[in-house]
Amino acid sequence: MAVSSAPGQLAAAADDLSAGEAILRRQAQRESAARTYARSLPVVPVRARGMTVEGADGRRYLDCLSGAGTLALGHNHPVVLEAVRRVLDSGAPLHVLDMATPVKDAFTTALFETLPRELAEHGRIQFCGPAGTDAVEAAIKLARTATGRGGLLAFSGAYHGMTAAALGATGDTDMRATVDADVRVTRLPYPYDYRCPFGTGGERGAELSARWTAHLLDDPKGGVQPPAAMLLEPVQGEGGVIPPPDSWMRRMREITASRGIPLIADEVQTGVGRTGTFWAVERSGIVPDVMVMSKAIGGSLPLAVIVYRDDLDVWRPGAHAGTFRGNQLAMAAGTATLRHVRENALQVRAATIGARMLSRLRGLAAHHACVGDVRGRGLMIGVELVDTAAEPDEFGAVPAAPLLAARVQQEALRRGLIIELGGRHASVVRLLPPLTITDEQAEAVLDRLGAAIEAAAASGPREAPGGAG
Ligand code: PMP
């Protein structure tokens, strides 16, 4: 956190400060009440490089939010900037719907080089609308079209995006006839070690969750709408950074394969090295039928695709269209990112540094009772905060501490650290630093987070957060 100190710079900083505050004020007046990050992180970013974001007030922050896990290489990485400049300077069209271009061809090649072999060799790619949620919609629609079934298997704690009603509101009877617009979801238990619904945790809890799934699917009176697919995150992100055992992933693969249910892996947040392997599914060795990808594949620009087994490619031409499926800059930035991560084995670096950060955080947990759990995979790390002053629930679990977590976020911001909250009661501090994080930056993140937890805990678990620094 560096503040300019020369007199001229101080005056300029004062101007910038008021400019920043005015921007924040105008945003609060004009933008939707649905705005989120802007509320808890009142920063006006004006420059960014790698992990560092500089606000309009001249303050610098270490960014552990990384565009909600988008920025695998951090902000403005040179290889990304160069790739974007090259397209701009070449005179290539920036908008081409879904037409073939050299830029798109290069992206598809680079992406296929990273995929599990079966998908790379027998896969089809569908460019969807620009966001992760567009690709999730496409995956569900594809599975429903291919299977003719209307149900969907999804998990407790899952997050897959915000669109739902688009198709339901579309008037084209033909289009709607291919897929009944109302998806009926059967909710299944995701293995959540720390708050295991079966009271056992570990491999046993995960096995019970698998048994429940298989049993329910086979029960003719189980009330399950025949499922078009099972949709799962290989590590839950927004749900509170929850990595399931590999054995459970394999069980889900067996259960779906043996019942002819396509398995959709939502790798929107876990992909491109984040969890220590290039794709999170690689760790358990499973190959899904459909993979949903967005965030990091666009190298910080919007891009979303699904890749699926070619026998699922039952769509008619135009069955899933959209104007913005040909973002050339995003494809160029994405190609550069995929190549850079792969060539530099940044997924391995994520595994190593992530493990080191987890171990230091576990040390922190030993000193702070309010740290209930520390977990993660690679550079997807979660610290679950609990209210030790509250009565445990009927199963002996310590309640979550949302107010404390909000205070930790503010204390961290005051110390020049941007972190996000997630989990069931927004009580999990989430760290999603870029894969390029240095050892020194990792130490600084943990120092600042440790100090923030200490300061927040000193005010008590229920003290409401004040104004952010
Ligand atoms: N799936 C997962 C696993 C996600 O984490 C997210 C976003 N956090 C989405 C889908 C939706 O992506 P988007 O916000 O780009 O629509």
Side-chain angles (χ1 to χ4, degrees):
M1 157 177 49
V3 180
S4 318
S5 53
Q9 281 176 323
L10 272 181
D15 281 352
D16 286 346
L17 181 72
S18 51
E21 280 173 352
I23 288 171
L24 284 171
R25 233 186 344 263
R26 281 196 294 277
Q27 183 194 36
Q29 280 161 3
R30 295 163 171 173
E31 283 190 31
S32 149
R35 67 192 188 285
T36 51
Y37 303 104
R39 290 178 194 271
S40 49
L41 301 169
V43 176
V44 178
V46 290
R47 263 175 297 277
R49 186 82 171 185
M51 240 200 119
T52 305
V53 169
E54 190 181 322
D57 58 2
R59 293 189 67 202
R60 297 222 179 116
Y61 302 86
L62 284 174
D63 182 7
C64 271
L65 176 54
S66 301
T70 301
L71 304 166
L73 303 182
H75 295 270
N76 290 326
H77 192 283
V79 299
V80 171
L81 294 185
E82 198 204 312
V84 169
R85 279 199 195 105
R86 218 179 304 126
V87 175
L88 288 175
D89 293 344
S90 73
L94 297 182
H95 186 283
V96 290
L97 297 166
D98 72 347
M99 284 185 256
T101 66
V103 172
K104 182 193 236 183
D105 188 54
F107 171 78
T108 306
T109 303
L111 183 71
F112 273 53
E113 279 167 7
T114 69
L115 292 174
R117 195 155 48 82
E118 289 95 314
L119 270 182
E121 285 175 3
H122 304 287
R124 291 280 173 157
I125 185 166
Q126 161 89 26
F127 287 83
C128 308
T133 195
D134 300 313
V136 170
E137 287 240 3
I140 295 170
K141 191 170 137 190
L142 175 78
R144 299 181 80 198
T145 308
T147 61
R149 301 194 287 256
L152 182 71
L153 306 175
F155 291 89
S156 51
Y159 185 86
H160 299 290
M162 290 280 179
T163 60
L167 190 58
T170 298
D172 186 316
T173 314
D174 230 22
M175 220 177 255
R176 288 170 56 87
T178 57
V179 179
D180 173 357
D182 304 315
V183 178
R184 266 147 288 177
V185 173
T186 298
R187 194 65 56 186
L188 299 167
Y190 197 86
Y192 184 1
D193 207 10
Y194 184 62
R195 297 185 185 278
C196 175
F198 304 107
T200 62
E203 295 274 339
R204 177 83 186 128
E207 174 52 24
L208 288 172
S209 135
R211 271 184 78 116
W212 169 253
T213 299
H215 198 82
L216 193 65
L217 289 174
D218 295 342
D219 182 352
K221 294 192 192 300
V224 179
Q225 174 83 8
M230 173 186 280
L231 174 61
L232 72 75
E233 292 160 89
V235 178
Q236 283 191 345
E238 310 297 324
V241 190
I242 306 178
D246 297 336
S247 57
W248 180 83
M249 289 288 286
R250 289 192 279 269
R251 290 279 279 127
M252 290 304 108
R253 180 62 284 188
E254 286 156 19
I255 288 170
T256 49
S258 61
R259 289 163 182 79
I261 302 169
L263 178 64
I264 305 172
D266 180 345
E267 290 257 15
V268 167
Q269 189 166 140
T270 48
V272 194
R274 165 110 358 239
T275 67
T277 46
F278 203 97
W279 300 103
V281 290
E282 285 169 37
R283 197 186 131 109
S284 58
I286 69 154
V287 180
D289 303 296
V290 184
M291 258 168 73
V292 182
M293 294 162 272
S294 187
K295 291 199 195 275
I297 63 161
S300 72
L301 298 174
L303 187 60
V305 301
I306 56 175
V307 172
Y308 49 91
R309 267 188 11 233
D310 53 10
D311 60 303
L312 290 172
D313 199 31
V314 294
W315 272 340
R316 290 180 277 112
H320 197 73
T323 305
F324 289 108
R325 294 180 297 140
N327 188 332
Q328 301 294 288
L329 291 182
M331 288 173 194
T335 305
T337 301
L338 295 170
R339 292 244 148 94
H340 191 80
V341 170
R342 193 153 171 258
E343 282 161 15
N344 295 281
L346 291 185
Q347 68 276 22
V348 178
R349 167 81 185 148
T352 314
I353 190 130
R356 216 180 299 149
M357 289 175 79
L358 271 186
S359 118
R360 233 196 99 183
L361 283 167
R362 293 206 169 106
L364 192 72
H367 290 98
H368 294 286
C370 66
V371 177
D373 193 29
V374 171
R375 54 184 180 254
R377 193 160 283 167
L379 284 172
M380 206 165 158
I381 294 173
V383 177
E384 181 156 345
L385 298 171
V386 292
D387 183 350
T388 47
E391 285 294 308
D393 70 12
E394 61 192 295
F395 304 110
V398 187
L403 291 176
L404 176 66
R407 278 196 79 80
V408 168
Q409 188 182 37
Q410 291 193 359
E411 293 291 348
L413 194 66
R414 223 168 251 145
R415 288 164 176 77
L417 176 66
I418 294 177
I419 52 175
E420 176 53 336
L421 302 179
R424 299 309 207 275
H425 302 280
S427 300
V428 179
V429 170
R430 300 176 57 214
L431 303 178
L432 292 162
L435 315 187
T436 50
I437 185 173
T438 64
D439 291 352
E440 295 72 31
Q441 286 169 328
E443 290 298 309
V445 165
L446 297 176
D447 288 346
R448 292 177 199 187
L449 180 59
I453 291 175
E454 184 126 11
S459 351
R462 313 233 182 106
E463 178 105 356

